[in-house]
C-alpha cells in the first residue's frame, strides 16, 4: 500500500532565513510612507503615510542604537498598523473597498445577491466574488462600529492564514516583518481585500505541501470565492500534489507511487471547486447579468464606468494610450496565463516554495497586463515570495515523498 507523507515534519523547528530588519530598511520604509503622504489625494492614505513614517523612523533609531530586531519590528508595526488603524476607526474613515464589502453584505441579506442590479458610477460596482461579502457580515448583523468594520476581519483572516502557513517554529519574525512591510501595513490600516486572498493562497500551498489535500482544497476554494486572482493557485497546488510521485524512491515504485499522488491532486481539485461553487453560485445564479457586469466586465474595463484601479502599469498604459491597446493587453494577459500552464505541465513545482514562486511570477505578469490594475495588487506576489523564502525546507527541497509500505 502506498501513502503520501511529508518528507519533514511541519512542526520541525529551524532558524528562519534572514529578512531585512536594519536601520537602512526602516529608513527606506519611512521614505516610502512619507512619499505617499505627500502625493496621495486620499485622506486615509495620508493619515497612514504620516503615522507610518514616524513609526518606521522610530524603528530605524532603535536599530541604530543596537536594539533587537524584534523590538524595532514591534515599533514599526505599532506605527504603521495599529496607530493609523485606531485613528481611522475612531473617525470612521476607510478605503473605498471597505464600504463596498459592507454594502455587499447588506445587499446579500436583503436581496440574496451582493451586487447592485443597475450600477452607474464606479462606486456602485463590486468587483469581488460573492465570498468577499462574508467580511461585511458583522456590520450587516450588528450595525456599523469599530469592532464590526470589515477591514478588521479581513486583516485578521490574513494574519491567521499566513501564520498557519508558516513553519510552527518560525512564525513570529516573518509575521511581524510582513505586517510592518509598507505594502501590507497600508491595507491592514486603511482596508485591503487582497490580504485574505494572499493569506489563504499561502495556506493552501502549505497544506498541499504537508500532504493534506482536502484541507488545501478548502483553503484554496475559499480564496477562489473571494477574488479571481486566487484561481491560478488551484492548478499550481494540483501540480505540486501530482509531482509528489517524482520523489518515489526506485523506478519500480513510480507506477504505484504515482497513483496516490494523483488521487490527492484530484481530491484537492474537487474540494476546491466544490467549496468555491458553494460560496459563489447561489449569488451568481440569483442575478447572472449583475454578476457578469460587476465581476467580469468592470475589472476588464468593458463597462462605461471606469475603474479607479488605474496605476500606470503596462496593461493600463496600453489600454489608455495605444489604439487597440485593450485587446493587446488582454492578449498579453492570456499569453502569460498559457505560459504558466505550460510550465506546470512541463516542469511541475517540487516544493511548496517552488509552487509559491511560480504562482507569484504568474500573478506579477497578470497584474502587469490587466487593463485595470493598481500597485496595491502587488501584495499578492510579495506575500507569496516572503512565504516561499521563509517556508523552504533546508537540504534536499522535497516536502513530499511516496513511501511504499509492504504488508507481510
Amino acid at each position: 500500500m502506498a501513502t503520501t507523507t511529508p518528507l519533514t515534519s511541519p512542526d520541525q523547528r529551524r532558524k528562519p532565513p534572514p529578512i531585512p530588519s536594519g536601520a537602512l530598511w526602516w529608513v527606506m520604509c519611512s521614505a516610502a510612507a512619507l512619499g505617499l503622504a505627500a502625493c496621495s489625494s486620499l485622506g486615509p492614505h495620508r493619515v497612514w503615510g504620516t503615522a507610518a513614517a514616524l513609526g518606521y523612523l522610530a524603528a530605524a533609531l532603535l536599530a541604530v542604537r543596537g536594539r533587537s530586531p524584534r523590538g524595532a519590528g514591534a515599533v514599526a508595526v505599532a506605527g504603521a498598523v495599529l496607530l493609523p488603524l485606531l485613528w481611522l476607526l475612531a473617525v470612521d474613515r476607510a478605503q473605498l473597498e471597505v464600504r463596498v464589502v459592507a454594502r455587499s453584505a447588506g445587499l446579500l441579506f436583503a436581496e440574496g445577491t451582493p451586487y447592485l442590479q443597475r450600477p452607474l458610477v464606479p462606486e456602485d460596482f463590486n468587483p469581488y466574488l460573492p465570498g468577499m461579502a462574508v467580511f461585511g457580515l458583522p456590520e450587516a448583523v450588528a450595525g456599523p462600529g469599530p469592532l464590526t468594520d470589515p477591514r478588521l476581519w479581513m486583516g485578521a483572516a490574513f494574519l491567521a492564514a499566513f501564520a498557519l502557513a508558516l513553519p510552527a517554529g518560525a512564525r513570529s519574525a516573518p509575521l511581524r516583518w510582513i505586517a510592518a512591510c509598507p505594502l501590507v501595513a497600508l491595507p491592514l490600516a486603511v482596508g485591503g481585500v487582497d490580504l485574505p486572498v494572499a493569506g489563504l493562497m499561502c495556506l493552501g500551498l502549505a497544506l498541499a505541501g504537508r500532504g493534506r489535500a482536502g484541507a488545501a482544497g478548502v483553503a484554496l476554494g475559499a480564496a477562489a470565492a473571494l477574488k479571481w486572482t486566487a484561481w491560478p493557485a488551484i492548478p499550481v497546488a494540483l501540480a505540486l500534489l501530482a509531482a509528489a510521485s517524482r520523489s518515489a524512491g526506485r523506478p519500480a515504485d513510480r507506477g504505484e507511487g504515482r497513483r496516490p499522488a494523483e488521487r490527492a491532486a484530484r481530491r484537492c481539485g474537487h474540494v476546491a471547486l466544490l467549496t468555491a461553487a458553494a460560496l459563489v453560485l447561489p449569488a451568481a445564479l440569483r442575478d447572472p447579468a449583475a454578476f457578469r457586469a460587476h465581476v467580469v466586465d468592470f475589472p476588464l474595463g468593458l463597462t462605461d464606468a471606469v475603474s479607479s484601479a488605474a496605476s500606470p502599469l503596462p496593461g493600463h498604459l496600453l489600454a489608455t494610450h495605444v489604439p487597440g491597446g485593450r485587446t493587446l493587453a488582454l492578449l498579453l494577459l492570456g499569453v502569460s496565463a498559457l505560459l504558466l500552464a505550460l510550465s506546470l505541465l512541463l516542469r511541475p513545482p517540487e516544493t511548496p516554495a517552488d509552487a509559491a514562486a511560480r504562482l507569484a511570477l504568474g500573478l506579477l505578469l497578470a497584474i502587469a497586463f490587466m487593463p485595470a490594475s493598481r500597485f496595491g495588487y502587488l501584495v499578492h506576489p510579495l506575500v507569496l515570495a516572503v512565504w516561499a523564502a521563509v517556508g523552504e525546507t533546508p537540504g534536499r527541497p522535497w516536502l513530499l515523498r511516496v513511501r511504499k509500505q509492504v504488508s507481510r
Side-chain angles (χ1 to χ4, degrees):
M1 179 180 179
T3 59
T4 303
T5 59
L7 180 62
T8 57
S9 168
D11 295 325
Q12 177 182 351
R13 293 182 178 273
R14 64 184 181 86
K15 185 178 179 180
I19 53 179
S21 58
L24 179 60
W25 166 251
W26 298 123
V27 168
M28 292 172 58
C29 291
S30 180
L34 195 59
L36 181 65
C39 299
S40 178
S41 60
L42 301 176
H45 285 194
R46 292 198 298 270
V47 170
W48 177 84
T50 303
L54 295 175
Y56 291 137
L57 185 59
L61 293 175
L62 290 177
V64 168
R65 294 183 178 182
R67 301 295 177 89
S68 69
R70 176 181 299 180
V75 169
V77 171
V81 179
L82 295 180
L83 181 60
L85 174 61
L86 293 175
W87 174 261
L88 291 170
L89 286 173
V91 298
D92 194 22
R93 298 289 300 277
Q95 202 160 268
L96 175 61
E97 51 254 49
V98 176
R99 301 277 66 86
V100 170
V101 171
R103 184 187 65 208
S104 69
L107 288 171
L108 186 63
F109 265 167
E111 303 177 14
T113 173
Y115 307 108
L116 289 171
Q117 191 173 22
R118 295 180 179 84
L120 299 175
V121 297
E123 291 76 13
D124 292 340
F125 283 89
N126 172 16
Y128 317 121
L129 292 172
M132 192 67 73
V134 169
F135 298 110
L137 291 180
E139 182 169 318
V141 172
L147 297 181
T148 60
D149 193 286
R151 85 189 92 174
L152 289 181
W153 300 97
M154 291 188 287
F158 163 70
L159 294 174
F162 190 77
L164 291 174
L166 292 169
R171 287 176 176 164
S172 177
L175 193 62
R176 185 170 55 249
W177 187 89
I178 198 69
C181 181
L183 205 56
V184 174
L186 173 62
L188 280 176
V190 305
V193 295
D194 295 294
L195 290 179
V197 180
L200 285 170
M201 286 194 292
C202 291
L203 180 58
L205 293 178
L207 292 170
R210 296 167 191 169
R212 299 176 59 186
V218 172
L220 293 172
L226 302 179
K227 286 191 74 173
W228 290 119
T229 48
W231 282 83
I234 296 178
V236 172
L238 300 187
L240 172 64
L241 286 166
S245 60
R246 298 181 57 180
S247 63
R250 295 176 297 178
D253 295 338
R254 294 185 185 272
E256 296 185 23
R258 188 176 293 110
R259 286 193 292 272
E262 291 176 351
R263 285 197 297 269
R266 286 196 298 269
R267 184 166 65 253
C268 177
H270 292 159
V271 172
L273 292 177
L274 288 174
T275 302
L279 294 172
V280 171
L281 286 181
L285 295 177
R286 176 78 174 180
D287 191 341
F291 177 81
R292 176 180 173 178
H294 283 265
V295 304
V296 178
D297 294 343
F298 182 67
L300 293 178
L302 302 178
T303 58
D304 293 333
V306 179
S307 171
S308 59
S311 295
L313 293 167
H316 176 71
L317 295 177
L318 285 172
T320 305
H321 302 292
V322 176
R326 187 178 305 279
T327 301
L328 179 59
L330 294 177
L331 179 62
L332 291 172
L333 186 62
V335 169
S336 64
L338 178 61
L339 292 176
L340 175 63
L342 288 175
S343 75
L344 295 177
L345 291 173
L346 299 176
R347 191 174 180 180
E350 295 178 333
T351 72
D354 291 341
R358 193 82 55 89
L359 179 58
L361 177 60
L363 291 176
L364 187 62
L365 291 173
I367 293 166
F369 295 132
M370 286 171 58
S373 187
R374 60 161 58 106
F375 289 120
Y377 296 162
L378 295 174
V379 71
H380 290 289
L382 170 70
V383 170
L384 286 163
V386 170
W387 179 79
V390 174
E392 180 62 279
T393 300
R396 190 181 182 186
W398 283 353
L399 285 184
L400 294 178
R401 67 179 178 181
V402 176
R403 183 177 61 193
K404 185 179 180 183
Q405 296 178 338
V406 180
S407 300
R408 296 186 178 181

